[in-house]
Amino acid sequence: MRVLVFSVLSGCLAGTAFAAPAGVHKRDGAAPAVKPPVPLARSGEWATARDSRVSPPDGCFTAGWHPGSASVGLNVDGRKFWLTVGYNSPILEGKTVRTLAVSIDGARRSMHVESKDDYTINVRLTRRETAALVASLEHGAVLTVTSEAIDPVTVSLRGAAPALEAFRACASLPAE
């Protein structure tokens, strides 16, 4: 689900229709039936939406897009909070990723990777960690994500505050 969420947001930011990338989410040769998310905000390189099949705060997600290659975002799934780096191609295939370093304007924090597949890296966060991260993102200029297995992914935070505020409201996060 997280791969699809970030693919959809990347498409939204790129100005394309809500659709899964070719070949990524197909089963038995058929594209999945996907109900489009409900857009909540788009600002700067960021977009926020919620899954129309579930009630908030579940299904809320926001992502910043690194043009052409990746997205970095936050989402709520089953009342679990996630930081996810999603890629447009299977660049993680066969790679081991144990930690993810998140830097906002040079302030760096390392986080344990909970799971990964060929397209995504997922870090589980607490509600408090998510609220603090959103606050830092709202006041930052540049987000950079790195690990031992990937090249740095940099996303501008310029103009992202409205999308991040929409995520905070959808996910029922406290202001920090």
Side-chain angles (χ1 to χ4, degrees), residues 4 11 27 36 55 136 140 144 146 165 167:
L4 180 58
R27 289 194 181 110
S55 297
S136 295
T144 303
T146 58
E165 289 169 14
F167 175 75

Side-chain angles (χ1 to χ4, degrees), residues 107-154:
R108 182 181 163 128
R109 178 174 174 215
S110 290
M111 301 176 184
H112 172 74
V113 171
E114 175 92 8
S115 63
K116 82 158 201 66
D117 60 27
D118 293 346
Y119 294 87
T120 61
I121 300 170
N122 302 298
V123 173
R124 179 127 179 239
L125 303 170
T126 66
R127 179 181 170 83
R128 176 172 269 149
E129 289 170 328
T130 304
L133 182 56
V134 169
S136 295
L137 293 170
E138 286 175 322
H139 300 296
V142 176
L143 167 67
T144 303
V145 179
T146 58
S147 85
E148 66 273 17
I150 62 169
D151 290 332
V153 175
T154 301

Side-chain angles (χ1 to χ4, degrees), residues 53-78:
R53 298 169 296 171
V54 296
S55 297
D58 285 350
C60 298
F61 49 91
T62 189
W65 190 52
H66 180 87
S69 63
S71 58
V72 179
L74 298 164
N75 75 322
V76 184
D77 177 13

Side-chain angles (χ1 to χ4, degrees), residues 4-30:
L4 180 58
V5 163
F6 291 103
S7 296
V8 167
L9 278 175
S10 293
C12 177
L13 286 165
T16 60
F18 290 107
V24 174
H25 306 286
K26 292 184 177 181
R27 289 194 181 110
D28 302 324

